[in-house]
Amino acid sequence: KQLDQSGRDLEKMTGDEKISEIFGIIENPIFDLSAKLAGRGGCNPKLIGEGLREFIQHNIDNPVQQMGISTGYKEYDRAIGGGIRPKTINMIGARIKTGKSFLCDNIAMNVAGKQNIPIIMLDTEMGEQEHWARLVAMLSGVPIEQIETGRVDKKDKLMFFRAFDYLEKIPYKYLSISGQAFEDT
C-alpha cells in the first residue's frame, strides 16, 4: 500500500521538485517498512527489562576490547563511545580552518592504513590536491611547504615514492561535496 501511494505521489510531481524530494517519495515508505520489520516503531510496548539478562550474558560470553573501530586516538575513541561504530556515519564539524580535515586525514590513515578498513572522506572545504600534500607530508616527513612549492631534494623524492605506493594501496577514498546541500549529500 505504501509503495502504491508513492506511485500516486510521483504521478503528481510537477518537475520543480528537488532530487532529494523525489528520492524521499520513493525511500520513505521502504525505510518505514524496514523499521517495522526490524521491530522499531512498532505499536506493542514491552517492559524495558525484557531481554536484558540475555543481552548482558551475551556481552559477558563474547567480550571485546573496544566497541567500535579505533581512530588511533584513545581519548577521542573514549569520548565517542568506544571508537567509530559500524554502520554509522561519523561527522566532524567546526568552523573553517580549525583542523577538521587534518584530524580526519589522520584518522583515515589509522583506520584505512593501519587497520585496512575502507574509508570515504566527504569533504566540504578542501580539494583533493590539498589532501595529497598533507598526506604525503605526513607519510614522508617532508614539510608540507616543500611539497607545495616543489623545493625537494633526491632523498625527499625517494620518501615521496614510498608515500605514493602506500596511498595507492590503502582503502581510502575521497569525494568533494563542496557546495552541495546537506539533504543532497
Side-chain angles (χ1 to χ4, degrees):
K1 289 179 183 178
Q2 289 173 314
L3 290 175
D4 287 342
Q5 181 59 46
S6 291
R8 289 189 290 277
D9 292 342
L10 287 172
E11 289 174 1
K12 295 177 189 174
M13 291 178 30
T14 63
D16 295 325
E17 295 82 4
K18 289 183 175 181
I19 191 72
S20 58
E21 293 175 55
I22 297 168
F23 282 142
I25 291 171
I26 299 164
E27 291 175 338
N28 290 342
I30 294 169
F31 290 151
D32 292 345
L33 177 62
S34 66
K36 288 177 183 174
L37 292 173
R40 293 186 305 269
C43 298
N44 301 321
K46 66 178 193 170
L47 294 171
I48 191 68
E50 189 177 319
L52 175 60
R53 288 180 192 272
E54 294 83 3
F55 169 75
I56 297 298
Q57 189 61 53
H58 172 78
N59 289 351
I60 292 168
D61 293 342
N62 302 284
V64 295
Q65 292 295 320
Q66 184 167 324
M67 283 305 300
I69 298 165
S70 175
T71 62
Y73 297 96
K74 289 181 182 181
E75 284 299 311
Y76 183 67
D77 287 346
R78 187 189 58 72
I80 62 172
I84 300 171
R85 305 260 180 144
K87 300 179 184 177
T88 63
I89 294 174
N90 300 273
M91 183 184 305
I92 307 286
R95 294 185 339 263
I96 61 170
K97 303 296 179 196
T98 55
K100 297 177 302 294
S101 296
F102 183 73
L103 172 64
C104 290
D105 276 335
N106 277 280
I107 290 171
M109 294 304 293
N110 283 312
V111 175
K114 292 180 182 172
Q115 300 172 64
N116 202 36
I117 297 170
I119 292 286
I120 183 166
M121 173 162 330
L122 305 175
D123 196 319
T124 61
E125 295 175 19
M126 289 178 44
E128 183 177 42
Q129 292 178 353
E130 293 169 289
H131 284 281
W132 286 343
R134 285 184 178 187
L135 291 167
V136 170
M138 185 187 319
L139 291 168
S140 69
V142 176
I144 194 166
E145 297 81 20
Q146 287 178 245
I147 294 168
E148 291 176 325
T149 60
R151 294 187 328 256
V152 296
D153 59 29
K154 288 184 181 183
K155 180 183 146 224
D156 294 338
K157 289 180 185 178
L158 177 63
M159 297 304 290
F160 290 169
F161 287 117
R162 289 183 184 154
F164 302 157
D165 289 343
Y166 183 76
L167 288 169
E168 288 171 345
K169 293 176 186 167
I170 65 172
Y172 180 11
K173 294 187 178 184
Y174 166 86
L175 178 65
S176 173
I177 55 171
S178 180
Q180 291 187 21
F182 182 77
E183 302 81 30
D184 295 336
T185 300

